[in-house]
């Protein structure tokens, strides 16, 4: 099986030159250099381009996204509908999707004969999402975090905490109408003012926040988490619960197991897919079951 390692050298603060040398040395020592290709990204969207070009080759292969959640999304989006598998070596700042798996004992040699399992993805409008799509306060926080990181890149994942503190003064609930098809096939309509609406395939986002502790990226279901408008003083302790994944029992939080649906606002609002921010007033989504073969760490 051919392997392409895409090194997103803009992600995190890892020494990618040393990592590349390590990978080449290990493959060479095992006589497997003919299987290996390593490419570095040079611009936004480059990981998508490299993965797409690799997938168009005749040889069966796997692409390892060596970077953060944004790089992983680029690669995964390029591989949907192809026979090429996806792998992840977390080297970004947050590495939230990686938190769903056990990387404690992961080593480069595991990529020689990877054990693959299919994982689901989400289609949102014309975009693909591997981990989480969310809108509301958490996207405002993410936007603030990016602004902080632009000025102070050395803060890394701790910038998200500052993003939360900066955004607390701008909390505003979004008025949404949700038409949902539940896991049972029942169709329901939910309306209200929500501070957070997170559509989860994985359990973690936002540098370790745990919106959907029971999410499973291979179960054919999406966990939609909503947090209704909440007074400021009651919201603060709830945010700490949201971080730990202990918020589900709170009466202001609802969890829906869904297959597809539409979230509508009467105005354009900001949302994010795997950390990439965009604007819309309609979010049409559906689960894409077994969308891509994935090398899960720990298998």
């Amino acid at each position: 099986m051919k392997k392409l390692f895409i090194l997103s050298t803009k992600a995190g603060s890892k020494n990618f030159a040393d990592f590349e040398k390590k990978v080449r040395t290990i493959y060479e020592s095992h006589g497997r250099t003919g299987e290996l290709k390593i490419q570095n990204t040079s611009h936004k969207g480059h990981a998508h381009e490299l993965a797409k070009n690799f997938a168009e080759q005749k040889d069966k292969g796997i692409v390892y996204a060596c970077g953060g959640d944004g790089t992983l999304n680029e690669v995964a989006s390029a591989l949907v509908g192809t026979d090429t598998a996806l792998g992840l070596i977390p080297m970004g700042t947050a590495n939230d999707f990686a938190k769903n798996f056990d990387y404690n004992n992961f080593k480069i040699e595991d990529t020689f004969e990877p054990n693959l399992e299919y994982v689901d993805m989400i289609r949102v409008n014309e975009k693909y999402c591997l981990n989480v799509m969310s809108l509301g306060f958490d996207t405002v926080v993410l936007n603030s975090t990016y602004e902080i990181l632009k000025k102070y890149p050395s803060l890394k994942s701790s910038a998200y905490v500052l993003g939360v503190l900066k955004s607390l003064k701008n909390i505003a609930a979004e008025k949404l109408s949700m038409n949902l098809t539940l896991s049972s096939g029942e169709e329901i309509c939910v309306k209200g003012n929500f501070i957070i609406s997170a559509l989860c395939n994985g359990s973690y986002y936002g540098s370790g926040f745990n919106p959907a502790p029971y999410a499973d990226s291979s179960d054919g279901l999406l966990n939609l988490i909503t947090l209704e408008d909440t007074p400021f003083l009651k919201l603060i302790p709830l945010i700490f619960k949201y971080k730990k994944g202990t918020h589900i029992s709170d009466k202001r939080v609802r969890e829906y197991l869904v297959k597809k649906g539409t979230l509508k606002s009467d105005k354009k609002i900001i949302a994010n897919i795997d950390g990439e921010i965009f604007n819309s007033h309609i979010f049409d989504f559906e689960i894409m079951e077994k969308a891509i073969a994935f090398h899960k760490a720990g298998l």
Side-chain angles (χ1 to χ4, degrees), residues 8-269:
S8 177
T9 52
K10 298 295 184 182
S13 59
K14 303 293 189 299
N15 190 322
F16 282 87
D18 285 349
F19 176 74
E20 180 176 350
K21 183 179 179 180
K22 177 182 177 181
V23 173
R24 292 191 185 280
T25 298
I26 290 174
Y27 267 76
E28 183 178 354
S29 66
H30 288 80
R32 307 185 77 117
T33 54
E35 304 172 13
L36 177 65
K37 186 174 185 179
I38 299 178
Q39 292 183 291
N40 293 274
T41 61
S42 61
H43 56 268
K44 185 176 177 61
H46 197 192
H48 185 280
E49 297 168 15
L50 295 173
K52 184 177 180 181
N53 290 338
F54 182 81
E56 290 173 349
Q57 299 175 12
K58 293 181 180 180
D59 295 329
K60 184 178 180 180
I62 180 169
V63 179
Y64 283 94
C66 307
D69 294 300
T71 303
L72 182 64
N73 178 277
E74 282 191 37
V75 174
S77 298
L79 300 183
V80 172
T82 75
D83 293 328
T84 301
L86 171 68
L88 168 64
I89 299 178
M91 301 180 71
T93 300
N95 302 312
D96 285 311
F97 192 69
K99 293 180 176 70
N100 295 288
F101 311 102
D102 182 8
Y103 276 87
N104 288 328
N105 298 312
F106 180 82
K107 54 187 183 299
I108 299 301
E109 288 84 350
D110 294 338
T111 66
F112 292 164
E113 302 295 338
N115 293 310
L116 303 176
E117 284 194 4
Y118 280 90
V119 294
D120 306 327
M121 291 184 68
I122 316 170
R123 181 194 59 78
V124 183
N125 296 346
E126 301 304 319
K127 302 176 182 290
Y128 295 114
C129 175
L130 183 61
N131 191 31
V132 175
M133 189 281 285
S134 68
L135 49 137
F137 175 66
D138 51 355
T139 304
V140 174
V141 170
L142 185 63
N143 196 43
S144 296
T145 301
Y146 288 160
E147 291 175 354
I148 292 170
L149 280 172
K150 190 174 182 179
K151 292 183 178 179
Y152 310 103
S154 61
L155 289 174
K156 304 176 191 175
S157 59
S158 61
Y160 198 89
V161 177
L162 295 179
V164 171
L165 296 176
K166 180 180 178 181
S167 303
L168 284 173
K169 61 183 179 181
N170 298 317
I171 296 176
E174 301 290 353
K175 183 178 180 181
L176 298 175
S177 174
M178 306 181 181
N179 294 310
L180 309 174
T181 300
L182 303 181
S183 57
S184 63
E186 179 186 0
E187 296 183 357
I188 65 171
C189 180
V190 179
K191 295 182 178 181
N193 297 316
F194 303 99
I195 292 178
I196 293 176
S197 302
L199 186 65
C200 305
N201 188 39
S203 293
Y204 300 90
Y205 77 147
S207 193
F209 278 73
N210 190 194
Y214 307 115
D216 182 342
S217 59
S218 301
D219 64 359
L221 298 172
L222 299 173
N223 300 60
L224 174 62
I225 309 298
T226 63
L227 170 59
E228 66 183 38
D229 199 1
T230 302
F232 180 81
L233 292 179
K234 293 183 178 181
L235 180 62
I236 301 302
L238 190 53
I239 288 176
F240 285 100
K241 289 184 178 181
Y242 196 70
K243 172 73 172 178
K244 297 178 181 179
T246 59
H247 58 289
I248 297 297
S249 60
D250 191 285
K251 64 181 181 180
R252 291 155 294 190
V253 176
R254 292 294 304 272
E255 180 176 32
Y256 304 90
L257 298 181
V258 300
K259 289 282 192 178
K260 61 181 180 179
T262 303
L263 312 182
K264 294 182 180 179
S265 171
D266 56 5
K267 65 183 190 320
K268 277 195 172 184
I269 56 177

